[in-house]
Amino acid sequence: MNKQEIINILKAKLTDKIQYFENLINETRASNNDTKSSMGDKYETGREMLQQEINNLQRQLNEVLNQQAVLQKITTDLSEKVQNGALVKTNKGLFYVAASMGEIIFENQKIMTVSAESPLVKAMFGKKMGEAFTINNINQNIENIW
């Protein structure tokens, strides 16, 4: 498995998300400037709601930027145990320990990207190929690690 290609897919996905949130924030700020009127309290309420929306979008953008920072630290070195940057195959699926970004398709295989903070990774962290772990009363065996 080429982990560098997987990282490139994730970086592209994050770049798209960052652009999306930046555009939304800019559009919301622009609409905030367009709502000026002589309506008094209604104007202030609308303005406050738009500001809350901007704050919410900014939080989401910051989360994506944090994921990007985590991804920048990931190396493509082969792993002998489950750790950050490891691609892990269990009898239940493929998991890439990086940033939690959901499922991606790579070489016609589903890979679930998971954070090192996730319960799944905490259950298998430090384990090696051939070892087993249990999460939610489900036993999984580690079949391969890249």
Side-chain angles (χ1 to χ4, degrees), residues 27-55:
E27 289 171 11
T28 306
R29 281 190 177 131
S31 69
N32 193 10
N33 293 335
D34 293 343
T35 59
K36 291 182 179 174
S37 71
S38 59
M39 297 290 285
D41 288 342
K42 287 183 183 180
Y43 164 70
E44 289 302 321
T45 302
R47 191 174 171 99
E48 178 59 30
M49 288 174 65
L50 283 171
Q51 186 58 50
Q52 287 176 7
E53 181 64 20
I54 290 169
N55 292 345

Side-chain angles (χ1 to χ4, degrees), residues 56-71:
N56 184 29
L57 292 169
Q58 190 64 52
R59 269 192 303 278
Q60 292 177 59
L61 174 60
N62 289 340
E63 187 176 311
V64 174
L65 290 171
N66 287 338
Q67 288 176 324
Q68 188 179 48
V70 167
L71 207 56

Side-chain angles (χ1 to χ4, degrees), residues 42-108:
K42 287 183 183 180
Y43 164 70
E44 289 302 321
T45 302
R47 191 174 171 99
E48 178 59 30
M49 288 174 65
L50 283 171
Q51 186 58 50
Q52 287 176 7
E53 181 64 20
I54 290 169
N55 292 345
N56 184 29
L57 292 169
Q58 190 64 52
R59 269 192 303 278
Q60 292 177 59
L61 174 60
N62 289 340
E63 187 176 311
V64 174
L65 290 171
N66 287 338
Q67 288 176 324
Q68 188 179 48
V70 167
L71 207 56
Q72 296 295 342
K73 296 176 187 173
I74 299 292
T75 67
T76 57
D77 299 339
L78 288 178
S79 304
E80 293 183 12
K81 62 182 181 181
V82 178
Q83 60 189 14
N84 280 337
L87 179 61
V88 182
K89 181 178 183 183
T90 73
N91 57 315
K92 301 290 182 191
L94 272 170
F95 303 95
Y96 188 56
V97 182
S100 180
M101 296 176 52
E103 185 178 276
I104 63 168
I105 305 294
F106 179 71
E107 295 179 352
N108 295 320

